[in-house]
Amino acid sequence: MSQKVLDIHEKPQPTRWIILSLQHMFAMFGATILVPQLVGLSPAIALLTSGIATIVFILVTRFQVPAYLGSSFAFIIPIQIATQTGGIGSAMIGSMFVALVYAIISLIIWKTGYAWIMKILPPIVVGPVIMVIGLAIAPTAISMASTITVDGQSVYSGLHFSAAIVTLASAVFCLMFFKGIISLMPVLIGIIVGYGYSAFIGILDFSAVIEAKWFAFPEMLIPGIDYPFVVTPTLLLIMVPIAIVTISEHIGHQLVLGKVVDRNFIDNPGLNRSLLGDGLGTLISGLVGGPPKTTYGENIGVLAITRVYSVYVILGAAIFAIVFSFLGKVMAMIATIPTAVLGGISILLFGIIASSGIRMLIDHKIDFDNQRNLVIASIILVIGIGGATIKFSPTFEVGGMALAAIVGVLLNIVLPGKEDSTLMDDEDES
């Protein structure tokens, strides 16, 4: 364990606090604004709700967990599907019900302990589902990177594809050849370089930035005002099962974060509190039109490198995220990022998500000579990536990633030869 610079409850001096908080916020910035850009939500409201959700999380966990909450990539496809079937309001309603699932599971864990959820969500289920998250949307990333819309048709554009390649190359270069805090911001740096290149080749339209106000209130989507609060079984089956993935992600992050700062967050303040904080953040975000929230792996990376574990620095990052969401010209500039640039960074990001699923299987030493493991992983991958759908009626169906997650959990329960492997297996391994 390397010597910490600032422990969880240490308060840095004001000037240092500002510098450290801004540094932390920018490390979270790129991924946080990318999700809303991909699903048609406001980057400003994503930043605003990211900051608010982080503050709520820290309060719920009693200032014990230095975690930052950003936009969840697990919900990209579900939000897109929900939007296509019932408008963006449907995606927000689905997000609220995901938060309700978090609250219910948090209550059960509070009453019964967390051993049961570890058994329901073993690595052999969680790993392949995470792979599905990255791979199922891969065609979208390639389309964004290489095509433009002309007269309603998608047409290949070498000029735009070059912007995607420059963006991707910049992010890869950042990951491979930089160390320290810079290596943790490949998304942000890739977008900045890609944006500059796009301006150079003439595919940017700055008119919106010029017309934007310096100060602007983020555009919100309020249920009952901007959209009717209508709940359907299909909507719930599109969004709610993804909680299987995000809860697993949450547990994994708490375990790894605990290793970094040398604390056991599963026991103190408790998995029930951290899950509740995550759920409340997602609920607040959904109520005002922001994407679902999740604890960020980038946050853990920043803590590991800087050895600044102070929860007050995380609070500072959240406050600055809120402030930035009101900077109209900055948000207008984000809105002008070319689709090709977003596509280029998505190629790397979606691949990393898929690879993290593979890494989970490797870290937990999942044996694929075991036919049970082979069957579960294979079926999850094909159902999820293939987009399989079960239709119970013309208006009631479940498919894709949600179906893959449900089938994975059921297979793990019913197939013989079940092992006791859980996400906590490697907690004490280095």
Side-chain angles (χ1 to χ4, degrees):
M1 175 67 62
S2 58
Q3 183 64 40
K4 63 180 74 73
V5 174
L6 283 174
D7 201 2
I8 288 179
H9 296 115
E10 289 186 70
K11 297 179 181 179
Q13 294 298 317
T15 302
R16 193 182 183 199
W17 174 80
I18 292 173
I19 294 172
L20 291 173
S21 297
L22 280 171
Q23 171 182 277
H24 206 97
M25 188 272 290
F26 279 120
M28 310 297 116
F29 191 90
T32 299
I33 64 168
L34 180 58
V35 173
Q37 289 285 83
L38 295 176
V39 299
L41 294 173
S42 163
I45 203 67
L47 266 183
L48 175 65
T49 54
S50 174
I52 294 174
T54 299
I55 293 172
V56 168
F57 178 87
I58 289 174
L59 290 174
V60 172
T61 55
R62 298 176 175 177
F63 285 72
Q64 297 294 320
V65 185
Y68 188 93
L69 271 60
S71 307
S72 174
F73 284 84
F75 287 94
I76 291 176
I77 292 180
I79 289 175
Q80 291 174 338
I81 295 174
T83 301
Q84 291 168 4
T85 56
I88 193 65
S90 293
M92 297 300 99
I93 294 169
S95 177
M96 295 175 212
F97 275 90
V98 168
L100 178 61
V101 171
Y102 271 69
I104 293 171
I105 292 178
S106 173
L107 178 62
I108 296 173
I109 292 174
W110 179 49
K111 292 293 186 180
T112 66
Y114 55 77
W116 63 274
I117 197 169
M118 297 295 182
K119 294 178 180 178
I120 290 176
L121 301 174
I124 186 56
V125 172
V126 177
V129 172
I130 291 175
M131 293 169 65
V132 167
I133 294 173
L135 296 177
I137 202 171
T140 300
I142 299 301
S143 176
M144 291 171 62
S146 59
T147 64
I148 58 174
T149 301
V150 178
D151 297 330
Q153 301 291 325
S154 292
V155 179
Y156 173 80
S157 170
L159 188 64
H160 286 74
F161 194 35
S162 71
I165 293 172
V166 168
T167 302
L168 176 60
S170 301
V172 171
F173 188 83
C174 175
L175 277 172
M176 297 300 298
F177 298 104
F178 281 91
K179 296 185 181 298
I181 196 71
I182 298 297
S183 67
L184 294 169
M185 296 190 286
V187 175
L188 179 60
I189 290 174
I191 289 175
I192 290 173
V193 174
Y195 193 89
Y197 177 79
S198 298
F200 176 74
I201 62 176
I203 62 172
L204 282 185
D205 180 4
F206 286 103
S207 57
V209 180
I210 296 172
E211 295 170 2
K213 298 178 181 179
W214 284 103
F215 177 88
F217 200 85
E219 296 179 12
M220 296 185 177
L221 294 172
I222 308 298
I225 298 177
D226 296 302
Y227 58 88
F229 195 93
V230 179
V231 182
T232 65
T234 297
L235 169 63
L236 297 182
L237 285 172
I238 289 171
M239 297 285 288
V240 170
I242 309 306
I244 294 172
V245 183
T246 52
I247 288 173
S248 304
E249 180 182 46
H250 177 97
I251 295 170
H253 284 166
Q254 294 305 297
L255 291 171
V256 176
L257 182 60
K259 290 181 185 178
V260 170
V261 304
D262 197 20
R263 292 175 184 247
N264 186 343
F265 295 126
I266 300 296
D267 290 329
N268 182 30
L271 184 59
N272 60 306
R273 280 190 170 274
S274 60
L275 270 177
L276 180 61
D278 206 335
L280 286 175
T282 293
L283 175 62
I284 293 169
S285 185
L287 284 170
V288 296
K293 299 299 182 243
T294 185
T295 48
Y296 258 12
E298 291 92 334
N299 174 74
I300 299 171
V302 174
L303 295 185
I305 286 179
T306 63
R307 291 172 288 130
V308 173
Y309 309 150
S310 173
V311 72
Y312 296 100
V313 171
I314 308 295
L315 274 174
I319 292 169
F320 281 117
I322 293 172
V323 171
F324 266 70
S325 71
F326 288 90
L327 301 181
K329 286 195 179 295
V330 174
M331 293 299 106
M333 184 171 292
I334 290 171
T336 64
I337 298 173
T339 301
V341 170
L342 297 177
I345 204 66
S346 296
I347 291 172
L348 175 64
L349 206 52
F350 297 161
I352 288 177
I353 292 171
S355 297
S356 68
I358 299 174
R359 179 177 177 177
M360 175 176 286
L361 297 174
I362 295 172
D363 288 346
H364 290 273
K365 299 179 176 61
I366 300 301
D367 180 14
F368 279 97
D369 284 332
N370 183 322
Q371 297 298 330
R372 184 180 189 277
N373 292 337
L374 190 64
V375 167
I376 293 174
S378 300
I379 292 176
I380 289 174
L381 289 172
V382 173
I383 288 177
I385 298 173
T389 300
I390 296 178
K391 292 189 177 183
F392 299 95
S393 73
T395 59
F396 182 29
E397 63 181 52
V398 58
M401 189 192 309
L403 181 60
I406 294 171
V407 170
V409 170
L410 292 177
L411 286 174
N412 179 63
I413 292 172
V414 303
L415 290 181
K418 184 177 180 180
E419 299 177 353
D420 292 329
S421 174
T422 73
L423 292 172
M424 296 186 72
D425 281 349
D426 66 342
E427 183 181 0
D428 296 323
E429 297 176 14
S430 177

